[in-house]
Amino acid sequence: MPLVPRPLPAPPERIRGLHAIAMNLSWSWSRKARALFSAIDYPLWTLTRHNPIELLYRVDPARLVACNEDPEFLALYDTVTAELARQQTPAETWFAKTHPGLETKPVAYFCAEFGLHNSVPIYSGGLGVLAGDHCKAASDLGVPVVGIGLLYTQGYFDQRVRSDGWQEDADERFDPAFTPLAPLLAPDGARRLVEVRAFGRTVRVAAWRMMVGRVPIYLLDTDLDGNDPVDRALSHRLYVGSPDLRLRQEWVLGVAGVRILRALGVDPVAWHCNEGHAAFMLIERLRELAHEGVPYADAVRRVRSTSVFTTHTPVPAGHDMFAGQHVADCIGPVWDELGVSCDTLLRIGHHPDHDHRLFHMAAAAIRLSGHVNGVSLRHGEESRRIWKALWPGRDASKVPIGHVTNGVHLATWMSHRMHVLLNSHLGENWTERLEEPGLWDQVLQLDDGRLWGVHIELKTVMLRAIREEARRRWAEQWKEALHLVGAGTLLDERALTIGFARRFATYKRADLLFRDPERLKRLLVNPWRPVQLVFAGKAHPADDPGKQMLQRVYHWTRDPAFEGRIAFVEDYELHLAHRLVQGVDLWLNLPRAPLEACGTSGMKAALNGVPQLSILDGWWHEGFDGHNGWALPARGPDDADTDAADAEALYLLLEQQVVPLYYSRDSHGVPLGWTARMKHALHTAGARFTAERMVRDYVAGAYAPAMQGQLPHDDPPSA
């Protein structure tokens, strides 16, 4: 059934603006707004997983009346209302001050997924969460970004792990009444806004708007009366289904996304294609220019001069490729409108190293974008190597692909307790001085005892949340007691706690620690220096090797020899991610180099003073300084028995450095060597790896030039 929104119950008139606050996701990173909603009904705020819209639906009306008469609540309400109103004044933002005259000229940001809050489950992992952080930082800085994506009414999937450890995938359909989604209507009141032709059928497309501070995100919806049942399903599930379904989803995202913006009167001056899923957006803009009478070659140049493409992975499975004939059947006869042959159009997606009859979405995006980047220094180098075939005969170092290292949104990922600690150390307005020289150096002078005390509080909160989630699943779902053990109910607050949470893909090597079970057991069950492991993450529904890896990890959670010191927490999503990156003692990341493009989870942990142990790949290649965590040497993917060598290095680091340092305490019980690493981790993340820095880099290196139609080079790939 199509999504149908319901109106929120009305609060008392004096606090009627609670609706507007709840309907803009800026509350999710405003500490005052979150305090406002938690003050209404703290237990309900917790039960709804910090969803203010659901809270306003479910709260006792008498409680709202009481809030309406509480002077402290009203003062906080007025402060939050004023904070929301300030978002309507772009002239005061960083972008308006540094790029006057461009603040009202939109940058269209196309992405297949957006991870903004757990109440809107239209994301699968890193790409979506990165897109969400990008939009939040753009809002903070006043960059006029407009997001375009798809609304997945059944989300990604709910994860259920059977007693044998096999992942089962269940629908995750959500209630729009509990989300900040507003339907957009045509002038005649109809849901349908635009139409797209795909495989000879007309697909009607509607849109929903979600406000993320200053940034509107428009989500496309094909689940409309009058559409073919096959087309209605296009906006049901994310990254699930046949190549035919994926092709049609991406055609709708690109073509209908452009047309929705036109229908809404939004006229972008720059266009950002965030991964190849959105590459058809570039084709649609060629078609628009052809209709204006622009010759094909000139249209290509104009599209390139205003387009940005970011590639997010060196893993081949992350790049969509479709049979050329299949693409022609879906999009035809667009080439006639462009005044070129079908073969000419399909060659935009040609990759010289792959079957010539395939249409490579990332190759198409590279050919039609003048500004192309990877997402870390190391990934930029790898991307130049991967894509040098598009510039035949050229050395990889000369390929015009740069990098913008990812960052994470500080206000979203730093815990409230850590924020309060920094308030007392750096001053109340430190978040307004993030670029101030020397600001982050002051973090290195934090009081060790206070920092350790904050961390212990966060660790306690995390472990309590893990136990409460196990209690809920025991009551509602699980049938045997071993589930409780594997879910973390026996975890010890005093033990060194290592977190590993990410998508279960084989190259991420979640099972590397178990290569020598006896050696691992000696580490974990040591009564004087115990260690425990917390795992979380989903395997793609079609990735059986990833599911098998998850199953192997889950097997060890049920082994009594490990005394309950290994936990797997089901259904990894944003709410759980916050708990883990804030509460574990050490963040673990073990990808097979050079397949980790960036790896932002370690940045999120570092913003909470959690050191990382990782391969020298992705962001850790440029972030590790010898004082903020630990590093395994990066080996090539073809090195002989890389896994064995990395496992040996990992065990040695844990046995000889990590565990001894954690348990070396002063007379007050504070591990001074460990807190030194915590401070350096926080210093690195805050100074160099925030989304604010990332968006500033995009503005300087791509957005501002693209907004003015400036090509960094006139060196397109060969067709």
Side-chain angles (χ1 to χ4, degrees), residues 361-694:
M361 295 292 283
I366 291 172
R367 282 196 174 90
L368 293 176
S369 299
H371 308 262
V372 182
N373 68 276
V375 291
S376 70
L377 175 65
R378 181 73 183 85
H379 181 232
E381 297 169 353
E382 188 66 12
S383 296
R384 289 189 286 278
R385 184 191 66 79
I386 291 171
W387 298 108
K388 69 177 182 177
L390 273 61
W391 287 265
R394 183 172 302 191
D395 184 84
S397 64
K398 304 298 183 182
V399 170
I401 296 177
H403 80 278
V404 175
T405 301
N406 285 341
V408 297
H409 190 240
L410 185 150
T412 294
W413 292 103
M414 180 179 283
S415 70
H416 179 66
R417 287 174 173 84
M418 185 62 68
H419 191 275
V420 170
L421 175 63
L422 293 186
N423 279 351
S424 65
H425 186 73
L426 301 176
E428 290 286 340
N429 68 337
W430 67 271
T431 56
E432 300 171 14
R433 300 182 285 114
L434 294 179
E435 297 299 307
E436 180 181 291
L439 175 73
W440 289 102
D441 292 342
Q442 298 176 50
V443 168
L444 299 177
Q445 306 306 318
L446 275 168
D447 179 83
D448 294 274
R450 294 185 64 194
L451 176 62
W452 184 244
V454 166
H455 174 67
I456 293 301
E457 291 175 4
L458 291 169
K459 186 176 182 180
T460 301
V461 168
M462 177 196 71
L463 294 175
R464 184 182 301 135
I466 288 174
R467 285 191 285 269
E468 285 303 310
E469 180 64 13
R471 187 195 311 277
R472 183 184 69 81
R473 290 184 183 271
W474 172 251
E476 298 177 0
Q477 176 186 340
W478 293 336
K479 304 302 180 186
E480 54 180 274
L482 274 178
H483 261 125
L484 284 172
V485 175
T489 54
L490 299 183
L491 294 178
D492 181 357
E493 294 177 5
R494 297 166 297 175
L496 167 60
T497 303
I498 301 174
F500 183 103
R502 56 192 33 86
R503 183 166 54 88
F504 267 70
T506 53
Y507 79 89
K508 293 180 181 285
R509 302 191 297 181
D511 59 351
L512 188 66
L513 263 171
F514 301 97
R515 193 173 178 92
D516 187 340
E518 288 301 315
R519 194 170 180 182
L520 179 63
K521 184 172 72 173
R522 290 195 295 272
L523 265 174
L524 267 57
V525 302
N526 184 322
W528 293 275
R529 301 190 308 190
V531 179
Q532 56 198 17
L533 308 174
V534 179
F535 290 89
K538 298 176 178 179
H540 186 282
D543 182 8
D544 281 352
K547 290 182 178 182
Q548 291 162 2
M549 176 173 283
L550 191 157
Q551 188 176 37
R552 290 194 296 273
V553 170
Y554 187 80
H555 162 76
W556 296 110
T557 71
R558 303 165 72 87
D559 188 334
F562 287 101
E563 301 179 359
R565 296 198 182 277
I566 305 173
F568 183 88
V569 186
E570 288 185 24
D571 212 24
Y572 186 48
E573 41 71 62
L574 283 174
H575 191 70
L576 173 59
H578 280 87
R579 297 295 193 207
L580 295 180
V581 299
Q582 294 171 7
V584 300
D585 295 307
L586 177 70
W587 196 255
L588 190 63
N589 189 23
L590 301 170
R592 186 176 289 111
L595 300 180
E596 181 77 290
C598 188
T600 56
S601 61
M603 302 175 188
K604 297 161 189 167
L607 278 179
N608 292 283
V610 174
Q612 176 174 254
L613 193 167
S614 180
I615 301 292
L616 279 175
D617 197 19
W619 82 280
W620 204 228
H621 172 75
E622 54 195 284
F624 176 63
D625 63 8
H627 305 287
N628 53 1
W630 292 266
L632 301 179
R635 309 173 210 275
D638 301 323
D639 285 3
D641 210 356
T642 296
D643 289 355
D646 284 345
E648 175 63 22
L650 175 60
Y651 288 132
L652 285 174
L653 273 177
L654 291 173
E655 293 164 347
Q656 298 179 6
Q657 297 186 36
V658 175
V659 175
L661 188 69
Y662 182 82
Y663 282 103
S664 177
R665 308 293 174 94
D666 70 0
S667 59
H668 300 288
V670 178
L672 297 179
W674 193 272
T675 54
R677 299 242 173 186
M678 292 176 65
K679 287 185 280 190
H680 279 279
L682 179 56
H683 173 271
T684 298
R688 298 171 55 197
F689 295 101
T690 65
E692 290 78 3
R693 188 273 311 151
M694 173 186 70

Side-chain angles (χ1 to χ4, degrees), residues 61-117:
R63 176 58 193 151
L64 290 179
V65 171
C67 290
N68 192 55
E69 298 170 353
D70 181 345
E72 290 187 10
F73 183 88
L74 294 177
L76 182 57
Y77 167 82
D78 290 341
T79 299
V80 174
T81 301
E83 189 178 77
L84 186 62
R86 281 195 296 273
Q87 294 177 8
Q88 311 308 314
T89 56
E92 299 178 4
T93 65
W94 168 83
F95 185 80
K97 293 174 181 177
T98 55
H99 297 276
L102 295 180
E103 66 271 17
T104 59
K105 298 182 178 181
V107 177
Y109 183 85
F110 279 63
C111 191
E113 53 173 304
F114 288 88
L116 294 150
H117 188 257

Side-chain angles (χ1 to χ4, degrees), residues 349-364:
H350 165 67
H351 192 304
D353 291 345
H354 294 281
D355 189 311
H356 292 189
R357 290 172 293 180
L358 291 176
F359 188 92
H360 200 297
M361 295 292 283

